[in-house]
Amino acid sequence: MAYNDKSGADANINETHDLIASDKVEGIRVYDPNGEHIGSIERILVEKRSGKVSYAVLSFGGFLGMGHEHYPLPWSKLDYDESLGGYRVDVTKQQLEGAPRYDREADDYWTAENGRRVYDYYGVAPYWI
């Protein structure tokens, strides 16, 4: 039988060598190519049907938690860097400032058209292809 019942196994596992729990990703720092801190992941967005992580929403800018902007990054742009204890992206602060961003209060941002804009901006293939 392929299924191995591990009754009593710890359901609160946060991280293994290859896996990380969503609550551990939220708040983790993001660094530019030079290792400079440019923001933090506020949340991740998962495609309902495939289960693929589609975006990491990067919180960037502001002061003392106020006035920061939200930038959807294709998940494929993030590379976990153990030495930094966070994700490294090949995006500079200046590139991020010109990237598509969204207002947290806007319910209509997450459309297919905006998704294409985000993936086109970063020059990566969309998760749905």
Side-chain angles (χ1 to χ4, degrees):
M1 178 189 237
Y3 175 74
N4 187 3
D5 182 9
K6 294 193 176 200
S7 297
D10 185 2
N12 294 316
I13 266 305
N14 287 328
E15 190 170 358
T16 68
H17 177 70
D18 292 325
L19 303 173
I20 190 166
S22 62
D23 60 340
K24 261 197 109 173
V25 174
E26 293 171 0
I28 199 165
R29 290 177 156 226
V30 176
Y31 300 88
D32 71 8
N34 297 319
E36 298 293 322
H37 174 247
I38 59 171
S40 299
I41 295 176
E42 186 160 309
R43 69 177 25 114
I44 59 173
L45 296 172
V46 178
E47 205 278 327
K48 289 179 184 179
R49 290 166 191 84
S50 72
K52 292 180 182 177
V53 176
S54 305
Y55 303 96
V57 177
L58 182 68
S59 176
F60 168 75
F63 182 70
L64 298 175
M66 298 181 69
H68 56 270
E69 301 286 343
H70 298 92
Y71 297 84
L73 285 172
W75 185 255
S76 60
K77 294 297 286 180
L78 286 91
D79 184 33
Y80 188 75
D81 186 323
E82 288 187 31
S83 67
L84 294 171
Y87 288 95
R88 187 184 295 261
V89 294
D90 62 353
V91 177
T92 66
K93 182 179 178 182
Q94 291 74 24
Q95 289 171 312
L96 189 60
E97 288 171 341
R101 60 180 178 245
Y102 81 101
D103 179 351
R104 283 184 53 155
E105 307 304 319
D107 292 333
D108 60 351
Y109 180 82
W110 299 105
T111 64
E113 181 180 332
N114 282 336
R116 281 188 292 280
R117 278 187 40 233
V118 169
Y119 277 84
D120 286 349
Y121 181 84
Y122 291 107
V124 295
Y127 69 91
W128 58 85
I129 293 180

